[in-house]
Amino acid sequence: MLNAPAVSLCAEEVQLVAVSKFQSKEAILEAYAAGQRVFGENYVQVSEYMRASLRVRASLCARVSR
């Protein structure tokens, strides 16, 4: 087991990223309604759709293929 170095962060510096891949649109909307605003996605198209339609921060969780 690796030990992570101790760091001092305030709550404003920490973000929970909800990995939304394989989740239904309803589940994503439920998380959004509960206040989740940062999502992780595998596909660029889905990430772009989420940014445009939900106005959330959607990041890629995987390497982009060429």
Side-chain angles (χ1 to χ4, degrees), residues 1-59:
M1 178 186 264
L2 297 175
N3 292 325
V7 294
S8 295
L9 296 173
C10 62
E12 294 80 26
E13 295 176 293
V14 178
Q15 290 187 333
L16 174 66
V17 178
V19 178
S20 54
K21 63 182 189 172
F22 305 121
Q23 298 300 313
S24 68
K25 181 180 177 180
E26 292 76 20
I28 294 169
L29 291 174
E30 185 176 340
Y32 181 82
Q36 182 64 36
R37 294 297 184 267
V38 183
F39 293 87
E41 259 306 329
N42 272 9
Y43 299 103
V44 173
Q45 297 88 340
V46 176
S47 179
E48 291 298 322
Y49 169 78
M50 289 179 69
R51 282 189 200 132
S53 64
L54 296 178
R55 301 201 192 304
V56 298
R57 182 171 157 223
S59 302

